[in-house]
């Protein structure tokens, strides 16, 4: 799947003519619009507006087979993704994301990180607006959020399909100077138990221990993610190899990367390798493995150079009974340079064939 064919802001042509809401470029911020106003302007089959437990405005996307997704409009956080799957010998709807809702904050889910090269968030304090919505009435629904960050215009497009969900970011530089960006789309994927959590598809890829980018939706802080977990015990690895020190590169040798211990890694081509004319990039996708539920999901990256992957080890108990991974495409090690008048695009897709 080519990035160019996937990232346009509106849904590709389908057998049914897609409808499109007319939206003003000066639409008010999502936080200033009521659910009824959003419904009147953007509502359609498969797209409803409401609020979550914190009072934040939300959009609920659904498609014909019953798969659904919930999106917070003030910060672009996807808090729920429930695709239709074949599970426990019957068709059902399974929550993929691990989300923790407090009295005034929601963390986990799928969120966008967009920083400048000094690791300062470009989205902090930004007011998102619903810029557009689109659907084919049956098998795809899409919402586009927009905000300004200085001279940058940011679009964040969330799309639900019958067998997948996608989040795409487009950054346009309207200034007179180039900007350097580090970014990520990070997903907290739920697992039934700590035992039997793994991913497949990273064998042969270099990686290094690295903290996650700081974000308001993260479950583990960068310091917590990097804190070493003691060896030994039932889950500690029984004397297995320790994680390499930060900055030290190694190569993934296992077909299945077991993630019951705490890890915080970036899988990527080392920055020095990228100075060569030809070099091997990180895999464009991998598959999660949950031996307890028997379900697997592909995480696909487009437009990003790196793939971040972490597991909480024993710290998962701070955030409920379910185990989880934090993962997603990123450009963390080498900033992306966006020149004046240029744009940069990146996307993540979570897809499955559990039917």
């Amino acid at each position: 799947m080519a990035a160019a064919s996937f990232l346009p802001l509106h849904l590709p042509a389908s057998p049914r003519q897609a409808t499109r809401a007319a939206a003003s470029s000066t639409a008010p911020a999502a936080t200033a619009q009521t659910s009824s106003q959003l419904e009147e302007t953007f509502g359609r089959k498969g797209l409803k507006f409401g609020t979550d437990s914190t009072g934040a405005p939300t959009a609920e996307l659904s498609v014909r087979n019953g798969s659904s997704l919930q999106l917070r409009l003030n910060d672009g956080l996807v808090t729920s993704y429930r695709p239709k799957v074949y599970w426990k010998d019957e068709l059902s709807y399974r929550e993929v994301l691990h989300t923790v809702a407090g009295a005034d904050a929601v963390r986990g889910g799928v969120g966008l990180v967009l920083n400048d090269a000094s690791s300062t968030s470009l989205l902090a304090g930004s007011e998102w607006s619903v810029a557009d919505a689109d659907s084919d009435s049956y098998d795809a629904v899409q919402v586009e959020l927009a905000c300004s960050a200085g001279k940058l215009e940011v679009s964040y497009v969330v799309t639900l399909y019958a067998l997948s969900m996608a989040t795409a970011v487009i950054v346009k530089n309207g200034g007179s100077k180039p900007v350097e960006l580090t970014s990520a789309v990070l997903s907290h994927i739920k697992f039934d138990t700590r035992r039997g959590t793994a991913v497949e598809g990273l064998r042969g890829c270099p990686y290094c221990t690295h903290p996650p980018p700081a974000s308001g939706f993260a479950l583990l802080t960068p310091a917590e993610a990097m804190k070493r977990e003691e060896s030994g015990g039932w889950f500690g690895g029984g004397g297995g190899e320790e994680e390499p020190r930060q900055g030290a590169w190694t190569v993934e040798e296992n077909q299945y990367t077991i993630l019951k211990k705490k890890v915080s890694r970036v899988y990527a081509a080392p920055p020095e390798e990228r100075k060569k004319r030809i070099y091997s990039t990180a895999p464009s996708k991998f598959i999660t493995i949950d031996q307890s539920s028997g379900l697997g999901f592909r995480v696909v990256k487009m437009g990003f150079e790196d793939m971040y992957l972490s597991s909480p080890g024993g710290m998962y108990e701070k955030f409920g009974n379910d185990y989880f991974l934090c993962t997603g495409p990123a450009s963390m090690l080498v900033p992306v340079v966006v020149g004046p008048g240029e744009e940069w695009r990146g996307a993540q897709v979570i897809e499955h064939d559990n039917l």
Side-chain angles (χ1 to χ4, degrees), residues 87-134:
W87 179 56
K88 293 188 175 179
D89 299 325
E90 63 181 14
L91 289 173
S92 181
Y93 299 95
R94 177 77 171 176
E95 179 60 66
V96 176
L97 305 181
H98 189 64
T99 307
V100 177
D104 57 357
V106 179
R107 293 185 293 162
V110 179
L112 171 66
V113 180
L114 187 64
N115 301 334
D116 62 21
S118 65
S119 298
T120 299
S121 174
L122 297 174
L123 299 178
S126 297
E127 293 187 340
W128 290 95
S129 65
V130 180
D132 206 354
D134 208 351

Side-chain angles (χ1 to χ4, degrees), residues 28-109:
T31 52
Q33 291 175 292
T34 66
S35 297
S36 60
Q37 289 172 328
L38 290 167
E39 192 73 36
E40 181 179 355
T41 305
F42 299 103
R44 63 197 57 235
K45 187 177 180 65
L47 178 59
K48 296 181 179 180
F49 295 91
T51 57
D52 66 10
S53 60
T54 69
T58 61
E60 182 174 342
L61 288 65
S62 61
V63 291
R64 177 171 48 176
N65 75 346
S67 298
S68 63
L69 176 154
Q70 188 171 73
L71 169 68
R72 280 166 53 100
L73 302 178
N74 59 347
D75 56 10
L77 187 68
V78 179
T79 57
S80 175
Y81 170 45
R82 293 175 58 85
K84 187 176 185 178
V85 297
Y86 190 76
W87 179 56
K88 293 188 175 179
D89 299 325
E90 63 181 14
L91 289 173
S92 181
Y93 299 95
R94 177 77 171 176
E95 179 60 66
V96 176
L97 305 181
H98 189 64
T99 307
V100 177
D104 57 357
V106 179
R107 293 185 293 162

Side-chain angles (χ1 to χ4, degrees), residues 180-318:
E180 295 185 351
L181 303 177
T182 59
S183 58
V185 177
L186 297 182
S187 303
H188 295 78
I189 299 178
K190 177 184 294 190
F191 289 75
D192 278 358
T193 63
R194 186 177 180 183
R195 180 185 298 277
T197 61
V199 298
E200 180 185 9
L202 296 174
R203 187 174 184 177
C205 181
Y207 72 88
C208 68
T209 299
H210 199 281
S215 66
F217 62 86
L219 291 177
L220 293 181
T221 66
E224 289 174 329
M226 291 293 287
K227 184 178 180 181
R228 286 183 170 251
E229 196 167 48
E230 291 189 15
S231 300
W234 191 257
F235 290 109
E241 294 184 4
E242 293 282 350
E243 282 290 290
R245 294 291 178 182
Q246 185 174 353
W249 285 87
T250 187
V251 174
E252 179 63 69
E253 297 179 348
N254 301 308
Q255 181 177 355
Y256 301 102
T257 306
I258 307 300
L259 293 166
K260 63 185 178 183
K261 297 194 302 181
K262 181 188 288 186
V263 301
S264 182
R265 301 172 175 174
V266 173
Y267 285 82
E272 288 298 317
E273 288 291 311
R274 303 183 202 186
K275 296 177 182 179
K276 300 177 181 179
R277 188 171 64 89
I278 298 175
Y279 62 90
S280 298
T281 60
S284 62
K285 62 184 177 182
F286 64 77
I287 299 173
T288 67
I289 298 172
D290 186 345
Q291 289 186 347
S292 178
S293 69
L295 298 176
F297 295 87
R298 279 182 295 276
V299 179
V300 184
K301 70 178 177 71
M302 303 175 186
F304 293 91
E305 285 283 339
D306 315 330
M307 186 72 85
Y308 178 75
L309 179 65
S310 74
S311 56
M315 292 191 72
Y316 83 96
E317 295 174 337
K318 292 176 56 179

